[in-house]
């Protein structure tokens, strides 16, 4: 079966750094994805990790440790527009399984 | 990135009627599309995998006779919610993989908000 855990909610201040963790236990692994979803909108792709280590893309970075079943998304220089839900998803060969998502609120 | 569209973006219907939602890949061909459902403040739940030219694969607990999926071409999949009831009210989102980019990323449509009265 699939089990993916993320914190439900997080709050951070504009300009700060926030780390959103994701742990997973899945049967089959074909990469770990992070998506951003604003309320009422579809998810947009942020990052993809299939090998251990850190992937950096601008203000966003994503880390994966396959042996620990662990990933995190790191957001730097937070902006108000970063307030959204962040979804961790594990890819199996044929489909994605999503975690419950983390609602991030960025405050002044 | 690749573009996926959905139509309609929102629909309100009476209980007992059927509603069809279209999902199109606009600039690529998708042999596989995915249908998700999302209830308020919850994550996306995969309902079924739509395969071009063959039957859809449904996730456990999803009634295939209630949620009819047709994937008749490489750019179009449709989801029909038959005999809709208020508990079917949800945000329905489709996605597709673009094989040109290695095929691991799924591109999502803008979603369809269904409200059943």
């Amino acid at each position: 079966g699939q089990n993916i855990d993320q914190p439900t909610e997080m709050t951070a201040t504009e300009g700060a750094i926030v780390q959103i963790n994701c742990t997973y236990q899945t049967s089959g692994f074909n990469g770990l994805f992070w998506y951003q979803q604003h309320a009422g909108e579809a998810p947009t792709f942020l990052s993809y990790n299939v090998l251990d280590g850190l992937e950096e893309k601008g203000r966003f970075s994503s880390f994966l440790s396959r042996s620990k079943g662990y990933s995190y998304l790191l957001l730097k220089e937070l902006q108000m527009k970063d307030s959204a839900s962040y979804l961790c998803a594990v890819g199996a060969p044929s489909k994605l399984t999503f975690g419950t998502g983390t609602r991030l609120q960025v405050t002044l | 990135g690749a573009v996926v569209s959905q139509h309609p973006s929102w629909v309100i219907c009476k209980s007992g009627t059927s509603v069809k939602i279209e999902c199109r890949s606009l600039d690529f061909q998708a042999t596989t599309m995915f249908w998700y459902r999302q209830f308020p403040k919850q994550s996306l739940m995969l309902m079924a995998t739509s395969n071009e030219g063959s039957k859809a694969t449904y996730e456990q607990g999803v009634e295939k006779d209630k949620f009819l999926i047709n994937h008749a071409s490489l750019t179009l999949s449709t989801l029909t919610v038959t005999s809709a009831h208020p508990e079917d009210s949800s945000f329905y989102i489709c996605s597709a993989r673009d094989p040109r980019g290695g095929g691991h990323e799924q591109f999502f449509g803008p979603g369809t908000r269904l409200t059943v009265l």
Side-chain angles (χ1 to χ4, degrees):
Chain A
Q2 317 282 52
N3 187 32
I4 303 172
D5 289 319
Q6 302 177 237
T8 304
E9 293 183 347
M10 297 184 71
T11 303
T13 306
E14 188 179 35
I17 299 173
V18 70
Q19 178 174 312
I20 303 174
N21 296 323
C22 172
T23 58
Y24 64 91
Q25 293 176 309
T26 60
S27 54
F29 181 83
N30 197 33
L32 189 133
F33 299 77
W34 284 96
Y35 283 85
Q36 180 192 61
Q37 186 180 28
H38 285 96
E41 299 180 10
T44 55
F45 172 80
L46 290 178
S47 68
Y48 169 68
N49 295 67
V50 67
L51 300 176
D52 291 353
L54 188 68
E55 294 279 344
E56 296 186 76
K57 189 185 295 185
R59 295 191 296 116
F60 294 0
S61 303
S62 57
F63 171 84
L64 174 67
S65 169
R66 288 171 297 171
S67 62
K68 295 181 179 179
Y70 169 68
S71 173
Y72 67 72
L73 179 69
L74 192 71
L75 292 77
K76 302 177 184 177
E77 301 171 15
L78 280 174
Q79 302 174 11
M80 298 299 290
K81 68 178 182 179
D82 296 329
S83 294
S85 287
Y86 291 85
L87 310 177
C88 169
V90 174
S94 59
K95 62 185 181 183
L96 282 179
T97 301
F98 283 85
T100 53
T102 299
R103 286 191 298 278
L104 173 65
Q105 181 68 47
V106 180
T107 60
L108 292 172
Chain B
V3 179
V4 176
S5 71
Q6 275 184 248
H7 178 81
S9 55
W10 61 270
V11 57
I12 301 173
C13 70
K14 293 182 179 180
S15 184
T17 60
S18 294
V19 175
K20 180 186 284 188
I21 302 170
E22 294 185 347
C23 177
R24 294 182 185 272
S25 56
L26 296 186
D27 53 353
F28 66 100
Q29 294 183 330
T31 56
T32 303
M33 291 183 175
F34 303 88
W35 287 97
Y36 295 85
R37 180 168 52 183
Q38 186 176 34
F39 292 106
K41 296 188 176 182
Q42 296 186 23
S43 192
L44 280 74
M45 296 298 296
L46 180 65
M47 299 175 66
T49 302
S50 172
N51 304 298
E52 188 269 335
S54 65
K55 292 182 179 180
T57 303
Y58 289 82
E59 294 300 298
Q60 191 173 9
V62 178
E63 299 175 58
K64 62 180 181 180
D65 295 329
K66 180 172 180 61
F67 299 98
L68 301 179
I69 291 173
N70 184 280
H71 194 155
S73 79
L74 288 171
T75 59
L76 173 64
S77 175
T78 61
L79 168 69
T80 301
V81 183
T82 62
S83 186
H85 291 285
E87 57 265 29
D88 298 322
S89 298
S90 187
F91 193 46
Y92 291 85
I93 309 175
C94 72
S95 71
R97 283 201 188 99
D98 183 353
R100 299 170 300 179
H104 57 257
E105 179 183 345
Q106 286 189 22
F107 294 92
F108 286 84
T112 297
R113 186 160 303 283
L114 170 64
T115 302
V116 184
L117 302 177

